[in-house]
Amino acid sequence: MKFVKGAVIGSVATVAAMMLYQDMNRTTKTIALAGIMSALMIVLFTLETVIGAMWITPPAVLSLSVLFVFCFSYDWKFGLLSGVVFGLSSLVIAFIVGNPLFIIPTISVLPRVITGIAAYGIYSLAKTLCGKSNNAFVKESLPYSIGAFFGIILNTFLVLVALTLFAPTEYGNTFAGWFKAVITLNFP
């Protein structure tokens, strides 16, 4: 719990510093935002793990929403950074909890890095396609929804593929088996 308090205090201090110094240069703001993102994602992953201890499977909705917010904030490089932080957070939490599958970096980190870059690409494409619309919802909100929707689907698909390819054989490495497990756990 001390870790969570420290991350929250660090995030609040960083936000306060950013509010006090509005005239910071772009690099400093980007570094501060990356620090806030990292702390927030680690805190939310920890929270999801605690929630997951009460239920069958931890929901990734909190950390995925943070991933997409930060992916859509800047450019593809920030999408890459967001994916790396998301994947490393998943790896660290897997070590803490003792999840034998997500201790493997090709399962916990690689799909999340690809998701960060691809979600930004899908968002950018949707923003370009919707940018000519006269409707404010279509022009401003729809690209975020499209990027997040396909990002969630892509994250799930890539993790299932990584589980199929890289999980130890005693878990039964078939895509159909992993897909059934995901459906069973998420839609009882």
Side-chain angles (χ1 to χ4, degrees):
M1 208 51 159
K2 289 181 183 179
F3 171 75
V4 174
K5 288 180 186 176
V8 170
I9 290 170
S11 297
V12 171
T14 307
V15 171
M18 286 181 68
M19 291 171 67
L20 290 173
Y21 298 103
Q22 291 296 323
D23 59 344
M24 284 191 242
N25 65 21
R26 191 180 230 15
T27 305
T28 307
K29 285 184 180 180
T30 304
I31 291 170
L33 188 60
I36 292 169
M37 174 198 62
S38 302
L40 186 60
M41 201 167 289
I42 290 169
V43 167
L44 289 177
F45 248 114
T46 306
L47 200 99
E48 287 174 352
T49 304
V50 171
I51 291 171
M54 292 181 241
W55 291 326
I56 294 172
T57 181
V61 69
L62 297 174
S63 54
L64 275 173
S65 59
V66 172
L67 170 73
F68 296 136
V69 165
F70 287 110
C71 279
F72 303 156
S73 296
Y74 283 96
D75 58 359
W76 70 269
K77 295 174 192 171
F78 214 75
L80 172 74
L81 177 66
S82 301
V84 167
V85 170
F86 184 63
L88 290 176
S89 299
S90 176
L91 182 68
V92 168
I93 294 298
F95 272 111
I96 292 170
V97 174
N99 186 339
L101 294 174
F102 285 86
I103 290 175
I104 304 167
T106 52
I107 295 174
S108 60
V109 180
L110 183 63
R112 276 56 186 274
V113 171
I114 296 170
T115 298
I117 297 170
Y120 175 78
I122 293 167
Y123 160 74
S124 293
L125 178 65
K127 189 175 179 183
T128 303
L129 294 175
C130 296
K132 298 175 183 169
S133 175
N134 293 331
N135 186 335
F137 170 77
V138 171
K139 189 174 185 176
E140 297 170 12
S141 299
L142 192 60
Y144 292 107
S145 302
I146 292 170
F149 174 77
F150 283 107
I152 290 170
I153 300 295
L154 183 65
N155 179 62
T156 303
F157 176 76
L158 289 175
V159 169
L160 288 174
V161 168
L163 285 168
T164 303
L165 295 175
F166 304 114
T169 55
E170 66 258 15
Y171 291 102
N173 296 353
T174 64
F175 185 82
W178 289 114
F179 184 74
K180 288 176 189 176
V182 167
I183 295 299
T184 303
L185 292 173
N186 289 311
F187 305 103

